[in-house]
Amino acid sequence: MSMLPVLEQSYREINRVTTEHPDAQISPAWELVLRFALEGTSDYWAELALGWLEEGHPAHGLLDVLDQLSRQTRRAQRTRHRARRVWKEASRGLHEAAGIDKERGVSAMTETASQG
């Protein structure tokens, strides 16, 4: 994919340039580029994609591929561990946004409704 080299730049810088540009009406499909890099066979591109996710690109749409990457024993241990860490952080963020109490496994909204 010809867009992979963009991952060699900082996500923050690319995001700033693409959102501040006067012609930036449509955001590039960065999630597709990240997915391609994470699903590929190169740890180099996967590491760069993980860097973008750690810098702030939303990871919630990539949870499946992050989970798969973290379990691939043919990948470098560093890459697998970073993928698992990003997966955990993104999963935690989704649970918090949904109001799920992870220890009890219930929605805070359901609990509040049943008390009322």
Side-chain angles (χ1 to χ4, degrees), residues 66-82:
L66 288 167
D67 183 49
Q68 291 170 7
L69 177 60
S70 72
R71 298 172 190 274
Q72 293 177 353
T73 56
R74 65 181 171 80
R75 293 303 194 91
Q77 182 179 25
R78 169 187 162 87
T79 304
R80 294 192 319 263
H81 287 196
R82 281 182 77 191

Side-chain angles (χ1 to χ4, degrees), residues 31 34-35 38 53 57-67:
E31 189 169 312
L34 293 170
R35 180 174 291 277
L38 293 167
L53 297 173
H57 187 283
H60 59 271
L62 298 166
L63 290 175
D64 59 330
V65 72
L66 288 167
D67 183 49

Side-chain angles (χ1 to χ4, degrees), residues 4-11 33-57 62 65-66 69-70 72 74-86:
L4 284 176
V6 173
L7 298 177
E8 293 176 326
Q9 305 301 313
S10 162
Y11 165 70
V33 175
L34 293 170
R35 180 174 291 277
F36 186 80
L38 293 167
E39 289 177 338
T41 58
S42 167
D43 282 337
Y44 176 75
W45 296 117
E47 287 283 330
L48 291 176
L50 290 167
W52 269 43
L53 297 173
E54 290 168 344
E55 285 185 43
H57 187 283
L62 298 166
V65 72
L66 288 167
L69 177 60
S70 72
Q72 293 177 353
R74 65 181 171 80
R75 293 303 194 91
Q77 182 179 25
R78 169 187 162 87
T79 304
R80 294 192 319 263
H81 287 196
R82 281 182 77 191
R84 177 57 56 188
R85 186 172 50 254
V86 171

